[in-house]
Amino acid sequence: ILSVAFEGQNTLKCFVYLNAFSVGLASVLIAIASAMVLGKRAFLPREPGPRLRQFLSTLPLLSCVAIVLVGVFLCVQAYVPGLNELIKGLLFG
């Protein structure tokens, strides 16, 4: 949509870019989901042991916590002035 605002760009070109991106993204997501469904048997044993069963049951909670932490970090980073410079200084010396 941003290319509509630039001179020399037209709405049709923007529409083509947007649709090409959407089709590519959908294709990648379908391929990943298909690989996960079809490859399930290769990664999991027939009957998982108690440790694997416990890990698999806590995996959704761990991913939820990770997503929440990333969201909180991004919100704090957006509203605290100077935090980006501090992080860059810590990471890159």
Side-chain angles (χ1 to χ4, degrees):
I1 303 290
L2 187 62
S3 67
V4 174
F6 294 131
E7 292 183 27
Q9 300 288 333
N10 57 17
T11 307
L12 180 61
K13 188 183 270 189
C14 177
F15 182 72
V16 169
Y17 290 155
L18 184 63
N19 282 325
F21 174 78
S22 298
V23 168
L25 180 63
S27 301
V28 168
L29 291 176
I30 289 172
I32 290 172
S34 299
M36 289 176 63
V37 168
L38 295 175
K40 178 182 173 184
R41 293 185 190 122
F43 293 110
L44 287 178
R46 295 284 179 200
E47 294 182 23
R51 293 181 69 192
L52 181 59
R53 188 176 298 132
Q54 182 182 9
F55 174 72
L56 292 177
S57 67
T58 59
L59 200 55
L61 179 64
L62 293 175
S63 67
C64 175
V65 168
I67 290 171
V68 167
L69 289 175
V70 168
V72 167
F73 174 74
L74 291 175
C75 288
V76 168
Q77 187 179 11
Y79 288 108
V80 175
L83 186 62
N84 287 335
E85 289 78 21
L86 178 66
I87 292 173
K88 287 179 185 176
L90 292 174
L91 292 178
F92 301 114

